[in-house]
Amino acid sequence: MKRRPVRYTLLLARSGGESRTLSFPGWAAVLFLAFLALWTGVNLYLWHRAKEARALEARLHALSQEARRLSLALEAERAKNGALSLEAERTKKDLEALKRAVEELRRRAGLAPLNLLPVRYEGGRGGGALEGWAEVRVGVLDLKRQLEELSPALERSLEVERGLPLGLPLKGHGGITSGFGPRPNPFGPGWEVHDGVDFAAPYGAPVYATGSGVVAQTGWMGPYGLAVLLDHAGGYRSLYGHLSRLGVRPGERVERGQVLGYV
């Protein structure tokens, strides 16, 4: 017995109207259902892709905002670093000026120069570093103020120190042959008080001032022979005797280490 193909009938009814029937074979129903499933799948896929696109767009917008924030922060950091560089340069110049002033005072005092090691300031970033440099600059300005206040007193002290007869009148020659104080009398019996210091030196050796001062007197001075008398600051005097030739005149200003005459 031959089997008849399956057919489906769809009844379409309308209120108050005639009913209509729609008949179609089975393969058409399968095709319709397949199309409906495909259409639904495509729409679901497109909806999912649209959702991903919106999420990606939001992420890109957030990244753009973050990039702009970082760019502004970088510009601010550059501005801070520029201000820090200017502050550091000013501070460096002030420190160099202070160093030169101190070295000049030490030179005038006859002291050896200082070998100062560089100091590295470890500041923070941005405002912290600027605040650190500001503190350093305040310290430098305070040092400058103190130095300016102390300079007159230092000048007076250095003037007295330079005038003290603390140096040696001869360089690179023999040592002391007779010191200051009691000694056997070289010209007779007994002891005497020697009120000077005798040095061994060859004829013609230069004799140097042991401190700065003013030449008070030159010429023949009794047992000291041809001599130079210096007046120093603080009421001190020094006499250089037994010279063969003079190198200065009365009233002349001399500095420590200047030649006064010759043995």
Side-chain angles (χ1 to χ4, degrees):
M1 181 176 178
K2 188 176 180 180
R3 187 175 181 181
R4 299 178 63 182
V6 178
R7 294 185 64 85
Y8 293 91
T9 301
L10 181 63
L11 178 63
L12 301 176
R14 186 173 60 176
S15 177
E18 296 181 358
S19 298
R20 301 181 64 179
T21 60
L22 180 62
S23 179
F24 49 87
W27 61 266
V30 173
L31 183 62
F32 174 76
L33 292 176
F35 173 77
L36 182 62
L38 178 62
W39 181 83
T40 303
V42 169
N43 278 274
L44 288 175
Y45 174 77
L46 293 177
W47 176 82
H48 181 70
R49 294 296 297 174
K51 182 179 179 181
E52 288 183 347
R54 287 193 297 271
L56 181 60
E57 182 181 1
R59 179 60 178 165
L60 289 175
H61 180 72
L63 289 176
S64 298
Q65 293 294 328
E66 181 67 12
R68 185 172 183 275
R69 186 189 68 80
L70 291 176
S71 178
L72 293 176
L74 179 60
E75 290 299 325
E77 199 69 20
R78 286 177 178 173
K80 291 177 182 178
N81 289 336
L84 177 59
S85 298
L86 293 176
E87 188 69 22
E89 191 64 28
R90 286 195 295 266
T91 303
K92 180 180 178 181
K93 290 180 180 179
D94 288 338
L95 288 175
E96 289 295 329
L98 280 175
K99 181 181 177 182
R100 288 193 297 269
V102 172
E103 288 177 348
E104 175 63 16
L105 289 174
R106 293 183 66 86
R107 184 192 66 79
R108 294 170 65 182
L111 302 175
L114 289 175
N115 292 323
L116 299 177
L117 295 176
V119 177
R120 182 180 179 184
Y121 175 75
E122 295 290 348
R125 294 180 56 196
L130 289 176
E131 292 174 3
W133 275 114
E135 292 177 3
V136 172
R137 183 161 180 80
V138 168
V140 171
L141 294 177
D142 184 60
L143 283 175
K144 288 178 64 177
R145 179 185 58 79
Q146 294 185 45
L147 187 60
E148 290 172 356
E149 292 176 355
L150 291 174
S151 288
L154 286 173
E155 285 291 341
R156 291 191 295 270
S157 177
L158 289 173
E159 183 67 26
V160 173
E161 184 180 347
R162 286 194 301 268
L164 294 177
L166 301 177
L168 293 175
L170 296 168
K171 298 179 181 179
H173 298 296
I176 297 174
T177 58
S178 182
F180 181 88
R183 69 173 183 178
N185 189 345
F187 305 106
W191 289 73
E192 69 169 3
V193 176
H194 187 216
D195 55 357
V197 179
D198 293 339
F199 294 87
Y203 179 82
V207 177
Y208 303 94
T210 58
S212 61
V214 178
V215 179
Q217 183 180 347
T218 62
W220 194 266
M221 300 184 191
Y224 301 108
L226 189 62
V228 174
L229 179 64
L230 292 184
D231 278 336
H232 304 280
Y236 292 95
R237 281 187 158 191
S238 61
L239 186 144
Y240 308 80
H242 309 298
L243 303 177
S244 64
R245 183 160 52 97
L246 299 175
V248 291
R249 298 177 181 179
E252 185 176 343
R253 173 77 184 181
V254 297
E255 299 296 331
R256 179 182 293 168
Q258 184 174 335
V259 175
L260 302 177
Y262 302 88
V263 175

